[in-house]
Amino acid sequence: MEDILQEWEDFAKTMNSTVHGMNSRELRDHAEAMLRVIAKDLETAQNKQASIDKSQGLAPEVNADTAAEIHAADRLASGFTIEQLMAEYRALRASVLRLWKERIETISSCEIEDMVRFNEAIDQALTESIARYSAMFRESQNLFLAILGHDVRSPLGAISMGAQVLLRDDTLSAKSLKVASRILNSTGRVTEIVSDLLDFATSHLGDGIPVSPAAMNFAKVCDAVIEEARAFHPDRMIELASTGDMHAVWDSARISQAFSNLLANAIQHGSQTDPISIAVSGEKEDIVWTIRNTGEVITAANRRTIFDPAKRFALRPASERSLGHPQNLGLGLYITRDIVSAHGGHISITSTKEEGTTFTVRLPRKMHDKSA
């Protein structure tokens, strides 16, 4: 144990500049506990199926935090990167196997089985550490975004109020009033972006986007959103066909947001000359709505990540991932999916050259009680 721990400590000292102020106990952080868990596992009988389950990440769940999970949290707090965390396990594996090899003269089937099981246990500990590290890192990022979005709202409100005051000033020239109008419109757009950012961040911090369902008429939502879109895009044709009962128990504001996001997406990416077709059907238990536009076909690979802006951004070519690139991050589709999911519904997409691109949303008229 001491030989392994000393090599672990020596390696940790080479990993990060922040370790220079760490003592031996901090550098060896939970290594002994992890090794004792592995040793105990090696002493426990294991059948073939249990070995297969471990290799597939299906090891029995542990209620309390494991030593590997706690180790990941401490390394994150100490400034270690996830690559450095993984390197520690790689070095630990190499140390144990080398020291083990030096202490045996011949290798029997028992030693081979022990080596296989040791590697399984190291992989399990590594998986636990990476999962905990990644989860904590994502949570800190989302919390940062939520705080940033919240703090930005106050100065935005002040800018908007100032622009409104200027617009009511009859002494200003026409040029000044035009500038004030642009400021107000731009502030409104930034406010929408901040709201999307807050929704994106808070949906990761809790159980998704919160909704407050109440009795509503979806037909009124459709009419209002479509009329607004027509006002902003008078050159675009938007066709609506609806049948059946449109009454439901949903969060009206959130559903309006989802419907508006899908329509805005169709306007942005659809053909400038062909109409956008919207169909709403009130069925017995559900209400189904589709929004279809013609235009460039979305590939199967892009459809798989279309509701995940982080993955979509990561998969873009390097030339399209610069801050100056005109494409947006696609938060609207992510938020739409979360709104639909929060209502117990489902959203899907199809895209072909013949039929165009169609988003289909199916929502139960009344949200199911998740606590039941």
Side-chain angles (χ1 to χ4, degrees):
M1 176 66 75
E2 179 55 33
D3 291 342
I4 298 171
L5 292 177
Q6 188 59 55
E7 291 197 5
W8 168 284
E9 178 183 338
D10 293 340
F11 180 74
K13 289 178 180 178
T14 69
M15 295 297 296
N16 194 307
S17 60
T18 61
V19 305
H20 294 313
M22 299 171 67
N23 58 37
S24 178
R25 181 185 60 80
E26 291 170 327
L27 288 170
R28 295 187 177 196
D29 172 47
H30 300 98
E32 180 175 351
M34 286 188 288
L35 288 171
R36 293 198 181 280
V37 169
I38 293 173
K40 183 178 179 180
D41 179 73
L42 291 176
E43 294 171 352
T44 306
Q46 175 177 280
N47 57 34
K48 183 178 180 180
Q49 186 58 49
S51 176
I52 294 174
D53 289 343
K54 281 185 178 179
S55 68
Q56 297 176 348
L58 302 175
E61 293 186 5
V62 180
N63 293 328
D65 288 344
T66 65
E69 290 171 334
I70 299 173
H71 172 70
D74 285 352
R75 282 306 193 236
L76 176 60
S78 299
F80 277 59
T81 67
I82 194 168
E83 292 81 9
Q84 291 168 337
L85 177 69
M86 294 171 63
E88 280 192 303
Y89 282 96
R90 184 176 65 242
L92 176 63
R93 188 197 307 266
S95 293
V96 171
L97 292 177
R98 177 175 47 77
L99 293 170
W100 166 78
K101 181 182 177 182
E102 292 173 356
R103 284 163 172 74
I104 62 171
E105 296 179 359
T106 60
I107 299 178
S108 66
S109 60
C110 290
E111 273 81 21
I112 293 175
E113 182 180 356
D114 276 348
M115 184 169 62
V116 171
R117 291 194 59 182
F118 167 74
N119 279 288
E120 289 175 351
I122 285 289
D123 289 339
Q124 177 65 29
L126 175 60
T127 300
E128 292 171 358
S129 278
I130 291 177
R132 175 59 61 86
Y133 187 104
S134 299
M136 292 183 65
F137 192 75
R138 285 194 301 269
E139 184 175 348
S140 66
Q141 287 180 316
N142 291 322
L143 183 59
F144 173 80
L145 290 176
I147 295 172
L148 176 64
H150 183 271
D151 289 349
V152 167
R153 280 185 163 180
S154 294
L156 276 178
I159 295 172
S160 177
M161 186 175 298
Q164 293 178 55
V165 170
L166 291 175
L167 286 172
R168 290 194 292 266
D169 190 343
D170 297 332
T171 63
L172 292 180
S173 65
K175 183 178 180 180
S176 297
L177 290 173
K178 188 176 181 180
V179 171
S181 178
R182 287 180 178 175
I183 292 173
L184 184 62
N185 291 335
S186 297
T187 303
R189 177 59 186 140
V190 175
T191 300
E192 292 177 1
I193 295 173
V194 170
S195 295
D196 285 348
L197 182 63
L198 281 171
D199 284 340
F200 176 78
T202 55
S203 67
H204 284 81
L205 292 173
D207 297 325
I209 289 180
V211 293
S212 302
M216 59 167 284
N217 186 345
F218 185 50
K220 293 183 178 180
V221 168
C222 294
D223 291 339
V225 171
I226 291 173
E227 285 305 311
E228 182 179 354
R230 286 171 175 164
F232 280 100
H233 305 278
D235 57 324
R236 303 300 296 274
M237 294 177 58
I238 304 174
E239 300 173 346
L240 171 65
S242 61
T243 58
D245 183 9
M246 296 291 109
H247 290 86
V249 180
W250 298 336
D251 185 321
S252 180
R254 286 298 190 183
I255 291 298
S256 177
Q257 182 183 10
F259 189 81
S260 178
N261 285 346
L262 290 179
L263 181 53
N265 182 78
I267 292 173
Q268 178 182 355
H269 298 288
S271 167
Q272 299 293 314
T273 56
D274 294 337
I276 295 170
S277 301
I278 302 173
V280 185
S281 174
E283 301 177 357
K284 182 178 180 181
E285 299 292 337
D286 304 328
I287 295 180
V288 181
W289 30 293
T290 62
I291 298 181
R292 184 181 70 85
N293 65 269
T294 60
E296 186 176 347
V297 175
I298 303 173
T299 65
N302 288 335
R303 289 199 300 272
R304 285 192 288 269
T305 60
I306 198 163
F307 297 109
D308 192 325
K311 289 181 180 178
R312 287 174 63 192
F313 186 78
L315 293 174
R316 287 180 185 175
S319 59
E320 296 183 10
R321 280 188 267 121
S322 65
L323 292 177
H325 197 271
Q327 286 186 317
N328 60 43
L329 293 177
L331 293 180
L333 291 179
Y334 169 86
I335 293 167
T336 297
R337 184 194 61 180
D338 263 28
I339 291 172
V340 171
S341 177
H343 284 80
H346 176 72
I347 183 171
S348 61
I349 177 177
T350 60
S351 186
T352 64
K353 185 176 180 180
E354 297 74 21
E355 299 295 329
T357 298
T358 303
F359 284 88
T360 302
V361 176
R362 177 179 290 273
L363 287 177
R365 289 185 179 276
K366 186 177 181 180
M367 291 175 55
H368 300 296
D369 187 356
K370 296 181 179 181
S371 63

